[in-house]
């Protein structure tokens, strides 16, 4: 049994053992060119074509000129002139692919190329994290074949882009050059900023990353629905029990199960009328308020959102933030409760609770990012759990 299969079985075992599975990642399983059983996280396949330059000559077949065929999981079907689902590089052609995860040098192979078709064709594989500096990590032999980054990239480096270049092994026929069905990372981690890396790893270990954020770029702003899912995870971790499936859904614009759970727990409410605005982005003061409610619901017997004022938080008031005057009245108690417990910190003395000016609005000032949300969630569990 390979280590990957073993890890998968362990994950499956833990999923049935614990309320909150630590490894919720789903895997795509396949057999490689040598008959080995392999698996790649389903989030690890290329999601974006950054650029491509067809080779000369290129294929005469319109189906294999569809560059999007290379994205997502392998889906090649058919043979000869009925083939579908692959992209033909053309003789010497190249393509740059983007991923929603970071690929790193882990155990064994790190990137897999799913090459299809009758002729086995080699591809040069390069990796980059900024589309400027590229590292040549070797040749993927045709058919399903992987490359190992070991010794070819700086220690600790991670990559969001892969460039494939056909090596002109077979430049003739209807499909000149390599025919690629899919490309995946095998050793991958969430895209996050270096300052958030420790907490993101802890969030994964603690089971605080909801399914909706698996394979998401964590440097991006977090939506209200995504944040509700994180807030439910925090509640479950602090309460050491699974949240019940929500029974009431008062929202006309959202049926997300985590949002409904969060609503029934009193962690979130709507934005007015029957709207939840699931895709709206969250400000930092809204984030602090929602997660404080997760804490209250998990630890204060009898707490509900409507009777919140009967449950004052007990803490030593820290020094006010420099931008204290811009913190909304409804958020102040939560913000300083979090600050007093070392869960949130200022940046140059400011909390940056929300955007005030149109210019601040325009640049997304004070928007909470996904990794900030996970960082706060981890500190809540560490400091209040
Ligand atoms: Ca490796
Ligand atoms: Ca495909």
């Amino acid at each position: 049994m390979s280590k990957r299969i073993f890890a998968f079985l362990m994950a499956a075992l833990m999923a049935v053992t614990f309320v909150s599975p630590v490894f919720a990642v789903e895997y795509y399983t396949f057999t490689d060119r040598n008959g080995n059983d392999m698996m790649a996280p389903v989030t690890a396949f290329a999601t974006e074509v950054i650029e491509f330059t067809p080779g000369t000559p290129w294929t005469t077949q319109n189906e294999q000129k569809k560059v999007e065929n290379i994205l997502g999981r392998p889906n090649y079907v058919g043979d000869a002139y009925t083939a579908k689902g692959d992209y033909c590089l053309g003789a010497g052609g190249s393509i740059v692919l983007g991923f929603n995860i970071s690929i790193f040098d882990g155990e064994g192979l790190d990137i897999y190329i799913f090459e299809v078709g009758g002729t086995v064709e080699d591809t040069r594989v390069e990796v980059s994290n900024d589309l400027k500096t590229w590292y040549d990590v070797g040749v993927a032999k045709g058919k399903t074949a992987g490359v190992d980054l070991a010794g070819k990239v700086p220690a600790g480096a991670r990559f969001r882009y892969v460039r494939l270049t056909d090596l002109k092994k077979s430049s003739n026929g209807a499909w000149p050059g390599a025919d690629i069905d899919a490309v995946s990372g095998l050793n991958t981690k969430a895209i996050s900023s270096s300052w958030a890396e420790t907490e993101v790893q802890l969030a994964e270990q603690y089971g605080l990353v909801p399914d909706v954020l698996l394979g998401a770029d964590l440097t991006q702003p977090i939506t209200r629905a995504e944040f509700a899912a994180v807030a439910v995870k925090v509640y479950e971790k602090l309460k050491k029990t699974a949240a019940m499936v929500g029974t009431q859904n008062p929202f006309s614009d959202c049926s997300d199960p985590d949002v409904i759970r969060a609503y029934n727990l009193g962690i979130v409410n709507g934005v007015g009328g029957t709207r939840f605005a699931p895709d709206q982005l969250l400000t930092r003061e809204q984030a602090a308020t929602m997660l404080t409610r997760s804490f209250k619901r998990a630890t204060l017997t009898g707490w509900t959102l409507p009777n919140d004022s009967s449950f004052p938080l007990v803490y030593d008031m820290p020094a006010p933030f420099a931008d204290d005057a811009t913190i909304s009245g409804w958020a102040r108690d939560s913000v300083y409760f979090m600050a007093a417990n070392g869960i949130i910190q200022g940046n140059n003395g400011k909390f940056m609770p929300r955007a005030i000016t149109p210019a601040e609005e325009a640049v997304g000032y004070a928007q909470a990012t996904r990794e900030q949300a996970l960082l706060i969630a981890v500190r809540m569990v560490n400091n209040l759990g």
Side-chain angles (χ1 to χ4, degrees):
M1 181 161 34
S2 81
K3 277 193 173 149
R4 283 177 193 286
I5 297 280
F6 180 71
F8 173 73
L9 289 175
M10 282 303 292
L13 191 65
M14 293 179 83
V16 295
T17 310
F18 297 131
V19 170
S20 220
V22 175
F23 304 102
V25 178
E26 192 188 334
Y27 286 90
Y28 174 83
T29 55
F30 61 96
T31 306
D32 77 355
R33 71 203 302 271
N34 300 318
N36 298 315
D37 290 333
M38 304 284 290
M39 26 197 342
V42 296
T43 55
F45 289 89
T47 51
E48 189 184 1
V49 176
I50 307 294
E51 61 178 37
F52 66 104
T53 309
T56 311
W58 199 18
T59 181
T60 53
Q61 303 301 305
N62 285 335
E63 174 63 26
Q64 275 72 36
K65 288 182 179 177
K66 293 180 188 164
V67 71
E68 67 274 15
N69 280 352
I70 204 167
L71 300 178
R73 299 182 216 187
N75 64 341
Y76 174 78
V77 287
D79 52 64
Y81 288 87
T82 63
K84 268 189 182 170
D86 57 325
Y87 170 70
C88 177
L89 287 180
S94 67
I95 188 166
V96 176
L97 299 169
F99 294 75
N100 268 339
I101 41 79
S102 291
I103 298 167
F104 67 96
D105 175 30
E107 188 189 332
L109 300 173
D110 304 300
I111 298 174
Y112 225 77
I113 316 298
F114 295 79
E115 198 256 348
V116 294
T119 316
V120 176
E121 290 148 316
D122 296 356
T123 315
R124 165 84 50 210
V125 183
E126 296 162 284
V127 294
S128 174
N129 202 38
D130 59 5
L131 297 173
K132 292 179 192 129
T133 306
W134 290 91
Y135 298 91
D136 183 342
V137 294
V139 172
K141 294 288 184 185
K143 292 296 167 197
T144 50
V147 292
D148 189 345
L149 304 189
K152 297 160 192 160
V153 297
R158 45 168 68 190
F159 305 98
R160 294 183 60 179
Y161 304 102
V162 171
R163 180 161 64 198
L164 303 180
T165 306
D166 173 65
L167 289 174
K168 299 193 179 180
K169 196 159 179 210
S170 169
S171 299
N172 307 311
W175 298 278
D179 307 287
I180 314 289
D181 181 2
V183 179
S184 83
L186 295 182
N187 288 308
T188 65
K189 55 174 83 171
I191 295 170
S192 63
S193 305
S194 52
W195 54 262
E197 192 154 321
T198 303
E199 279 88 356
V200 167
Q201 280 178 16
L202 283 174
E204 287 166 355
Q205 282 175 31
Y206 292 176
L208 296 174
V209 183
D211 287 356
V212 66
L213 291 185
L214 293 175
D217 178 348
L218 300 181
T219 63
Q220 295 302 304
I222 191 164
T223 67
R224 285 169 53 80
E226 289 168 351
F227 198 89
V230 174
V232 170
K233 290 285 189 194
V234 169
Y235 164 82
E236 290 179 328
K237 188 75 178 173
L238 292 175
K239 185 82 176 170
K240 300 183 175 66
T241 186
M244 306 273 274
V245 175
T247 47
Q248 289 180 54
N249 180 14
F251 303 122
S252 56
D253 62 348
C254 180
S255 56
D256 182 298
D258 282 323
V259 169
I260 298 166
R261 272 192 192 90
Y263 171 79
N264 283 267
L265 288 166
I267 295 169
V268 302
N269 49 15
V271 295
T274 59
R275 292 180 57 243
F276 179 71
D279 299 327
Q280 210 173 75
L281 303 179
L282 219 70
T283 64
R284 286 161 52 85
E285 65 179 10
Q286 287 172 335
T289 304
M290 277 195 201
L291 284 183
T292 300
R293 291 184 196 140
S294 294
F295 166 78
K296 288 175 174 172
R297 178 64 191 227
T299 61
L300 303 178
T301 306
W303 179 89
T304 63
L305 188 52
N307 70 3
D308 180 53
S309 59
S310 312
F311 292 83
L313 290 163
V314 180
Y315 58 95
D316 292 329
M317 186 69 184
F321 288 109
D323 51 359
D324 174 79
T326 61
I327 300 174
S328 299
W330 49 262
R332 173 166 281 108
D333 199 32
S334 298
V335 167
Y336 283 109
F337 168 71
M338 293 259 177
N341 283 288
I343 294 161
I344 56 172
Q345 286 156 356
N347 189 351
N348 289 325
K350 290 183 169 182
F351 174 61
M352 299 188 288
R354 60 188 168 123
I356 304 291
T357 64
E360 286 178 351
E361 292 257 359
V363 297
Y365 180 83
Q367 269 169 7
T369 62
R370 291 162 171 162
E371 60 193 1
Q372 281 171 347
L374 294 176
L375 180 149
I376 296 172
V378 164
R379 288 190 188 154
M380 285 190 71
V381 169
N382 282 347
N383 299 2
L384 299 173

